[in-house]
Amino acid sequence: MKLPQEIQTILEKLAQKKFPAYAVGGCVRDLLLKQKPKDWDITTKAKPEQIQKIFPDSFYLNNFGTVTVKTKSKQANLKEIEITTFRTEQKYTDKRHPDKISFTDNVENDLARRDFTINALAISQADKIIDPFKGQEDLKKKILRAVGKPDDRFNEDALRMLRAIRLAVELDFKIEPKTFKAIQKNAKWLQAIAKERIRDELIKMILSAQADQTIELLKETGLLKYIIPEMEKGIGVSQNRHHVYTIYQHSILSLKFAAQRKCNLEVRLAALFHDIAKPQTKKGQGLNSTFYNHDHLGSKFTINILQRLKFPKKIIEKTALLVRNHMFVYGVDEVTEAGVRRLLRRVGRANMPDLIDLRVADRLGSGCPKAVPYKLRHLKYLIEKVSKDPISAKMLKINGHDIIKQLKIKPGPKLGLLIEALLAEVLKDPKLNTKQKLFEKAEQLNKLTDQELKNKTKKVKEKKQEIDSEIKGKYWVK
Ligand code: ATP
Ligand code: MG
């Protein structure tokens, strides 16, 4: 097995001073699975002061025996390595922090405090694997099993229940039946856990490739009601003639497709929550039921949920914006350029790709076979088109009223021609776009006949067509 050079060096330095030392936990699990570890942890018999003596470029900030050693590695996950003294943990009265930790002399004791057999593995610099709980066997069988008595382990730290689900889904492992039952039994203790810790696990779940399965497991274990009880209201609630799935099923499927398409966190959250207020807004029964205002109410629910879970303000705002606007119209006959401009003003140009991603996930999650249909491509075309709108009279530094006053003419077709002709001049030479120069130009142009003016405006039309066909080319090809 190949430990990175930085880890080898640390293990060697500790061994030279006669301190047994191992890479431990998730990194060993990932190595054995031939996957790339996210982070590296080391455990050793050396006490924090002894570790700091061997590694002067280090810091020791907490009381849990963890010293962080800085390396010169270029790889982000090897720049700072946590070295923790072998330790055991005693009773967890508050179900989240051990009342007391104490240092111990052997690695087996340290492994016994860890959550799952596949995480209770250590490997020495000489490639010796310490595996007192048959973690390697479970790795082969793809089973996630608590170390020792599952009931006790979840009682000690209820966050482990979320870790079980997240790891099982990430690794594509089955949760061992006794471990699974113990989660169902202890689910309520999740209430004792700090919201920030729950949030961090939930984010990892939502960002995992099979995010939908994590939510399904949360539901099956009974944990969901302690995290997002609002979601349970949609279970078994049918929709109308446009939907084959229940509200809950559709939400899960939308998340599935958002994850499959590697969407960002906000789009995934919005996919999960976009219909969260449908149960409360449902009117009527059967094929004709309606869910009027579920988008607005849904964005309020979304804000509540994410605030409760202590998500950062930026993520909350973005997700709520996507939920609030997820019903935008995009039928080729329904959508006008003015409508698209209003949509852009409401949502912000920068958020449009995410809103479209949400719609694609929403569609796929409703059972539509085609992710990006003709009408979405048409909408993208219109967005691009109105975004390039500066080729309009609005870009001129003077407007119709100014011209009427200056030239003492009446509003009418002539005025329209003059403006178009001015625009053509500015397109040719942008430096002309000052009040003074435009007035001078307007005086000259006013002396021309209508036909002569029309000839001048040809340039604007050509330019508009050029842009049009360029954008069209981007979206019209299948
Ligand atoms: P990831 O791939 O997300 O890093 P991980 O299992 O490595 O998963 P870490 O948070 O890096 O998770 O923790 C490293 C190791 O510390 C775990 O493998 C496990 O041995 C131990 N550990 C972490 N959290 C707990 C916990 N709540 N209870 C018991 N042991 C834990
Ligand atoms: Mg890790």
Side-chain angles (χ1 to χ4, degrees):
M1 225 173 344
K2 193 102 180 80
L3 290 171
Q5 194 51 56
E6 292 82 352
I7 301 296
Q8 291 264 18
T9 310
I10 294 176
L11 294 180
E12 266 163 33
K13 282 193 178 159
L14 285 160
Q16 275 166 15
K17 301 277 177 201
K18 304 272 176 297
F19 294 117
Y22 304 87
V24 68
C27 62
V28 183
R29 172 198 74 213
D30 293 342
L31 264 191
L32 290 166
L33 289 171
K34 300 195 170 44
Q35 290 179 6
K36 233 181 143 183
K38 277 187 222 136
D39 41 30
W40 293 85
D41 299 299
I42 287 177
T43 186
T44 179
K45 191 176 166 182
K47 301 275 155 46
E49 317 77 61
Q50 295 169 317
I51 302 172
Q52 285 212 283
K53 233 187 217 160
I54 302 173
F55 305 98
D57 197 7
S58 64
F59 53 91
Y60 178 42
L61 295 178
N62 57 38
N63 301 320
F64 306 117
T66 301
V67 175
T68 307
V69 171
K70 294 187 180 171
T71 72
K72 302 223 152 45
S73 178
K74 289 198 172 54
Q75 252 175 278
N77 65 346
L78 285 165
K79 282 196 165 110
E80 291 190 347
I81 307 291
E82 294 195 341
I83 308 184
T84 308
T85 308
F86 295 157
R87 64 176 214 221
T88 59
E89 293 167 357
Q90 264 105 56
K91 259 181 68 194
Y92 285 61
T93 318
D94 68 354
K95 306 225 178 319
R96 46 180 155 165
H97 310 110
D99 295 347
K100 201 171 148 234
I101 60 155
S102 29
F103 296 140
T104 162
D105 276 352
N106 72 62
V107 66
E108 281 83 3
N109 289 344
D110 182 278
L111 293 175
R113 75 171 168 90
R114 292 173 185 268
D115 46 8
F116 305 108
T117 60
I118 59 167
N119 285 346
L121 290 160
I123 183 168
S124 76
Q125 179 229 338
D127 262 9
K128 183 171 168 229
I129 295 180
I130 316 285
D131 179 13
F133 304 101
K134 302 209 179 110
Q136 292 176 97
E137 215 175 287
D138 285 342
L139 273 183
K140 278 204 193 88
K141 289 197 266 184
K142 301 180 94 175
I143 284 177
L144 193 104
R145 184 197 311 269
V147 167
K149 287 196 187 128
D151 209 26
D152 296 347
R153 307 320 307 279
F154 296 134
N155 229 294
E156 284 165 8
D157 179 6
L159 191 81
R160 290 175 184 154
M161 300 187 281
L162 296 189
R163 284 180 47 85
I165 289 174
R166 197 252 301 169
L167 286 168
V169 172
E170 271 182 2
L171 300 169
D172 194 18
F173 277 32
K174 282 256 164 328
I175 301 178
E176 177 270 329
K178 278 197 195 118
T179 304
F180 194 91
K181 284 208 187 85
I183 298 180
Q184 289 177 315
K185 186 175 160 201
N186 288 284
K188 59 177 173 299
W189 294 123
L190 200 62
Q191 295 168 99
I193 296 297
K195 293 289 187 288
E196 289 81 356
R197 290 181 81 202
I198 297 179
R199 171 200 64 203
D200 290 348
E201 273 306 314
L202 185 65
I203 290 178
K204 287 182 189 169
M205 290 182 177
I206 302 276
L207 285 178
S208 70
Q210 315 277 346
D212 55 306
Q213 288 184 24
T214 64
I215 307 294
E216 285 283 51
L217 279 173
L218 287 177
K219 171 167 96 65
E220 283 169 32
T221 49
L223 287 162
L224 189 59
K225 67 167 153 301
Y226 300 108
I227 310 176
I228 320 165
E230 293 86 344
M231 283 221 62
E232 296 212 315
K233 293 243 164 17
I235 296 173
V237 182
S238 63
Q239 306 195 57
N240 54 26
R241 64 178 71 253
H242 305 294
H243 298 267
V244 283
Y245 300 116
T246 65
I247 296 171
Y248 173 82
Q249 284 169 331
H250 166 63
S251 308
I252 297 290
L253 278 173
S254 303
L255 172 62
K256 174 191 169 111
F257 288 108
Q260 215 170 67
R261 297 172 70 85
K262 301 198 166 39
C263 294
N264 62 30
L265 178 66
E266 291 91 337
V267 172
R268 292 181 192 212
L269 286 168
L272 188 62
F273 295 153
H274 71 285
D275 283 347
I276 193 95
K278 269 194 168 177
Q280 287 80 355
T281 52
K282 184 171 178 175
K283 291 263 154 38
Q285 280 303 322
L287 300 179
N288 294 318
S289 41
T290 61
F291 303 94
Y292 181 68
N293 209 31
H294 79 275
D295 40 356
H296 283 83
L297 193 60
S299 81
K300 287 191 184 150
F301 284 15
T302 300
I303 293 171
N304 272 343
I305 296 169
L306 296 179
Q307 273 180 348
R308 188 173 70 222
L309 291 168
K310 311 244 187 269
F311 272 70
K313 194 164 160 235
K314 260 193 150 155
I315 295 181
I316 300 178
E317 281 173 357
K318 174 78 169 279
T319 309
L321 177 97
L322 294 173
V323 171
R324 188 164 59 250
N325 290 289
H326 81 269
M327 297 288 287
F328 67 90
V329 293
Y330 68 135
V332 176
D333 300 329
E334 303 160 279
V335 60
T336 60
E337 284 186 28
V340 171
R341 274 193 208 98
R342 282 196 300 274
L343 179 66
L344 287 181
R345 269 201 299 276
R346 214 165 52 233
V347 176
R349 175 84 172 88
N351 294 319
M352 274 318 289
D354 285 345
L355 191 64
I356 290 178
D357 275 350
L358 173 62
R359 174 58 61 91
V360 171
D362 186 1
R363 283 176 52 86
L364 289 168
S366 304
C368 299
K370 205 154 185 214
V372 190
Y374 168 77
K375 45 185 188 172
L376 260 188
R377 293 202 303 280
H378 178 253
L379 177 70
K380 285 186 188 176
Y381 156 72
L382 283 182
I383 291 171
E384 196 97 347
K385 184 169 175 186
V386 305
S387 306
K388 293 206 172 166
D389 257 3
I391 306 208
S392 83
K394 275 195 217 121
M395 74 185 275
L396 295 177
K397 287 278 170 356
I398 57 174
N399 61 28
H401 296 296
D402 300 330
I403 297 174
I404 290 169
K405 251 207 232 147
Q406 169 85 7
L407 304 181
K408 303 196 175 52
I409 57 167
K410 292 207 171 72
K414 176 86 182 212
L415 178 65
L417 284 174
L418 274 172
I419 293 173
E420 281 273 289
L422 281 175
L423 192 55
E425 298 288 344
V426 168
L427 283 179
K428 250 193 302 185
D429 178 8
K431 282 206 248 24
L432 273 182
N433 200 7
T434 67
K435 270 198 166 143
Q436 161 101 39
K437 289 202 174 119
L438 287 174
F439 280 137
E440 283 165 20
K441 201 80 206 166
E443 302 265 10
Q444 291 169 16
L445 291 169
N446 197 26
K447 295 192 183 104
L448 302 180
T449 64
D450 283 9
Q451 190 51 50
E452 281 168 327
L453 277 176
K454 265 186 200 150
N455 291 343
K456 291 225 170 249
T457 63
K458 253 170 57 196
K459 189 126 211 119
V460 178
K461 290 203 186 79
E462 277 167 19
K463 188 85 192 168
K464 277 186 173 165
Q465 268 164 10
E466 197 182 297
I467 290 176
D468 229 36
S469 57
E470 176 209 328
I471 306 170
K472 221 169 185 164
K474 260 169 74 180
Y475 295 109
W476 252 234
V477 232
K478 288 214 171 173

